[in-house]
Amino acid sequence: MNLLFVGSEVAPYAKTGGLADVMQALPAALSRMGHHVRVILPYYRCVKDYGPRTESLDVTVDVPIRDRLVQGSYHRTTIPGSDVELILVEQDDYFDRMGLYGEGGKDYYDNCERFVFFCRAAVEAIRLLDLKTDILHCNDWQTGLIPAYLKTEYAKAIGYQDVATVFTVHNLAFQGVFWHYDMPLTGLDWKYFSWDYLEFHGQISLLKAGLVFADQLTTVSPRYADEIQGPELGCGMDSTLRYRSSRLHGIVNGIDNDVWNPATDRETATNYDLSNWRQGKAACKAALQKEFDLYAVPNVPLVGQVGRLTEQKGWRLILPAMEALLEEGDLQFAILGTGEREIEAELHDLQNRYRGRVSFRREFSESLAHQIEAGVDLFMMPSVFEPCGLAQLQSLRYGTVPVVRRTGGLADTITDVAPDTLAEGKANGYSFDGLSVDSFVTAMQRALEAYRNRPDEWSRVVQNGMRQDWSWEKSAARYEEVYREAVDVQREWRQSLF
């Protein structure tokens, strides 16, 4: 099939979260399976700074924005590590900025306009660049208008008759909500400003446009697909998702086994695999303790965390739990990430009070993320909600045992240690329900008890995780099925027009 992905992030060029990793790895996996795959991305300043060798396609696009035309152009390169073509949409007034979506903790005031332009330029690329396309795979609110354009303004346009759309929600909490006076920016008729289309509590939601108009919907785990159809995690979109539930599929994200491979990882102190994981992790642990200024004690359990420092990631549980566990016994923490200032301040305070036992790096570093996964014994992810999560899958690959809250993709990928799951060879981590500090501390205590006093059990849990296959190929096969269904849905819809 001819697949055209559209997204606002693609690793390694432009990244704020897991979307970028998916946009790099899933197209590459589908390409390896024999599909012809392209990806469209804004030509941000950070992409230019990264320095890929690009080729101008000498084609311009004129996009109507209110009462004027805004011109852009297209460039071409490839995604590193694959033969997937990356088409870059250049419009410096919109994309030549320090951030992707904002600066200094504030969104850009014209984000609606910026991504209206990007959506229309992506749709026009099919015509202007003669891109044969069977599936237009859109991702998150920044691309939500594309399915709407295909079903309205381009419904009878030549060259678009056979284009089906798939819309993936990576995190429903980010909805692309703007005031209703931005509706004319979209170019869509005001009749679509209604509760069953783009209107959302008196405003417009670009994410809702994708949910309503796409031929098929996906999100990043089966559990999350169920959760977002209820009021607790539906973020106000649950009724729309229930209405479209027959078109909604939960597919767990994968990880790139070439990038996340302890046997070949160039970022870690040494390489290891299932046959020598004890020695390998011991060497990586010693190197990590030195890098993070932790006491060089080999047998003390070392706990890690990498990611955004936000309430969603469970930091209101993690911070008091860390203090309780530090007072209770000998263990260490290595934390990497940035986020809410209050959380950062509390981590700095813990680091100052527990020198040599707590180390916090206020940054994001891909290299350090690899070193943490290889060097720690436990990885904590007590997320309030987690659409899929990648860190727990990376942890399993590196023989690091996750401790997670049973939600979203964490529930789908981590099997709690119990006598039956150990006997079946399925136990790969420790999990808990609820949102109390006590429940998280109890789960951590269970894991620490096994690490300290039940080495055989610990080894089985580590090896179970390392044996599991969370590569993208398995997930890509499920996307193939969704694409075929999208083609059938689009064909039926088109027949109804005539």
Side-chain angles (χ1 to χ4, degrees):
M1 300 179 81
N2 295 294
L3 310 177
L4 181 60
F5 280 74
V6 187
S8 61
E9 301 183 24
V10 176
Y13 298 129
K15 177 176 177 177
T16 66
L19 167 63
D21 298 309
V22 174
M23 289 290 293
Q24 177 187 32
L26 178 56
L30 289 160
S31 177
R32 290 192 294 271
M33 295 168 73
H35 299 284
H36 186 255
V37 189
R38 295 184 177 96
V39 177
I40 299 183
L41 174 75
Y43 203 176
Y44 300 112
R45 182 184 299 178
C46 62
V47 180
K48 296 178 181 180
D49 290 344
Y50 194 93
R53 181 175 297 177
T54 61
E55 169 195 357
S56 172
L57 297 178
D58 295 323
V59 174
T60 59
V61 58
D62 291 311
V63 171
I65 300 289
R66 291 194 191 271
D67 57 354
R68 73 190 198 279
L69 290 177
V70 177
Q71 189 173 90
S73 60
Y74 302 100
H75 299 257
R76 178 168 56 200
T77 185
T78 57
I79 296 177
S82 73
D83 60 357
V84 175
E85 180 181 339
L86 179 64
I87 297 170
L88 299 163
V89 177
E90 185 172 41
Q91 213 301 318
D92 285 348
D93 288 341
Y94 292 144
F95 303 126
D96 186 20
R97 304 183 184 185
M98 286 292 293
L100 303 190
Y101 314 120
E103 296 175 38
K106 294 184 178 180
D107 290 344
Y108 291 127
Y109 74 95
D110 58 348
N111 271 348
C112 185
E113 183 174 326
R114 297 171 72 223
F115 289 101
V116 165
F117 175 86
F118 176 59
C119 287
R120 300 201 72 144
V123 173
E124 279 293 297
I126 293 175
R127 178 180 65 86
L128 294 172
L129 304 180
D130 193 24
L131 306 179
K132 182 168 176 53
T133 304
D134 300 309
I135 297 292
L136 220 171
H137 189 154
C138 308
N139 295 268
D140 275 350
W141 71 262
Q142 295 88 347
T143 64
L145 286 171
I146 292 174
Y149 290 139
L150 268 289
K151 286 291 192 290
T152 57
E153 296 194 2
Y154 291 80
K156 297 182 179 180
I158 296 173
Y160 294 87
Q161 300 94 323
D162 299 321
V163 179
T165 56
V166 173
F167 183 66
T168 296
V169 178
H170 296 264
N171 189 336
L172 192 70
F174 299 103
Q175 301 181 332
V177 175
F178 303 96
W179 69 338
H180 68 283
Y181 289 114
D182 279 339
M183 186 68 187
L185 288 174
T186 69
L188 296 171
D189 193 286
W190 270 104
K191 70 181 180 181
Y192 296 112
F193 183 72
S194 63
W195 68 269
D196 49 346
Y197 290 111
L198 272 67
E199 188 271 335
F200 185 67
H201 298 290
Q203 299 176 294
I204 61 172
S205 167
L206 305 194
L207 179 117
K208 189 175 180 181
L211 297 180
V212 169
F213 283 101
D215 294 308
Q216 292 286 291
L217 306 174
T218 73
T219 191
V220 290
S221 71
R223 174 76 169 250
Y224 191 59
D226 291 336
E227 290 174 340
I228 59 178
Q229 293 180 60
E232 184 178 352
L233 292 180
C235 301
M237 298 286 182
D238 48 298
S239 61
T240 300
L241 288 160
R242 287 194 299 273
Y243 178 74
R244 302 219 67 202
S245 60
S246 64
R247 306 283 172 83
L248 175 61
H249 311 266
I251 304 174
V252 173
N253 284 337
I255 58 172
D256 189 328
N257 279 348
D258 293 329
V259 174
W260 294 96
N261 185 354
T264 59
D265 198 326
R266 295 182 179 180
E267 304 293 346
T268 57
T270 191
N271 295 133
Y272 60 92
D273 57 22
L274 195 58
S275 67
N276 65 342
W277 66 269
R278 290 181 183 83
Q279 299 92 324
K281 285 193 71 67
C284 291
K285 183 176 188 175
L288 186 67
Q289 287 172 325
K290 182 177 180 180
E291 173 68 32
F292 273 67
D293 295 321
L294 296 167
Y295 294 133
V297 186
N299 295 323
V300 167
L302 178 52
V303 182
Q305 222 289 329
V306 178
R308 290 182 292 115
L309 307 179
T310 64
E311 285 202 35
Q312 183 221 319
K313 296 298 182 180
W315 277 98
R316 292 301 154 210
L317 303 183
I318 293 174
L319 289 165
M322 284 177 65
E323 183 131 29
L325 293 166
L326 285 161
E327 290 298 314
E328 186 179 272
D330 201 9
L331 78 164
Q332 299 175 341
F333 291 90
I335 311 294
L336 176 69
T338 62
E340 297 173 15
R341 291 182 180 179
E342 184 181 342
I343 297 172
E344 292 178 357
E346 292 186 53
L347 282 169
H348 281 302
D349 178 62
L350 281 171
Q351 179 177 250
N352 291 333
R353 289 192 289 120
Y354 295 95
R355 288 286 180 186
R357 298 178 64 193
V358 175
S359 183
F360 167 51
R361 293 284 187 90
R362 184 188 176 279
E363 61 177 297
F364 181 77
S365 161
E366 198 74 36
S367 175
L368 288 178
H370 282 246
Q371 292 173 46
I372 287 174
E373 288 290 13
V376 300
D377 303 298
L378 288 162
F379 195 97
M380 50 186 179
M381 290 185 71
S383 302
V384 176
F385 65 94
E386 192 65 64
C388 179
L390 293 175
Q392 84 278 15
L393 304 181
Q394 295 156 0
S395 295
L396 296 174
R397 182 88 162 127
Y398 281 69
T400 295
V401 176
V403 180
V404 307
R405 181 170 175 267
R406 236 183 313 261
T407 184
L410 301 178
D412 287 325
T413 56
I414 303 304
T415 301
D416 189 43
V417 173
D420 58 333
T421 58
L422 278 170
E424 295 166 357
K426 296 178 180 178
N428 62 0
Y430 295 83
S431 56
F432 67 97
D433 296 301
L435 275 171
S436 71
V437 174
D438 287 346
S439 59
F440 176 44
V441 169
T442 298
M444 287 290 295
Q445 289 170 332
R446 291 172 55 217
L448 292 166
E449 171 69 16
Y451 175 86
R452 291 169 174 145
N453 300 318
R454 294 194 296 278
D456 289 344
E457 176 184 312
W458 185 261
S459 295
R460 288 163 68 186
V461 176
V462 168
Q463 292 175 71
N464 287 345
M466 293 186 75
R467 287 192 183 100
Q468 291 176 333
D469 177 17
W470 295 106
S471 65
W472 267 109
E473 275 64 26
K474 188 164 61 173
S475 300
R478 278 287 292 118
Y479 276 103
E480 284 184 314
E481 296 174 12
V482 172
Y483 294 156
R484 286 192 287 269
E485 292 177 26
V487 168
D488 291 340
V489 169
Q490 194 272 348
R491 186 177 294 124
E492 291 176 10
W493 172 80
R494 179 155 294 281
Q495 289 172 352
S496 71
L497 293 180
F498 301 100

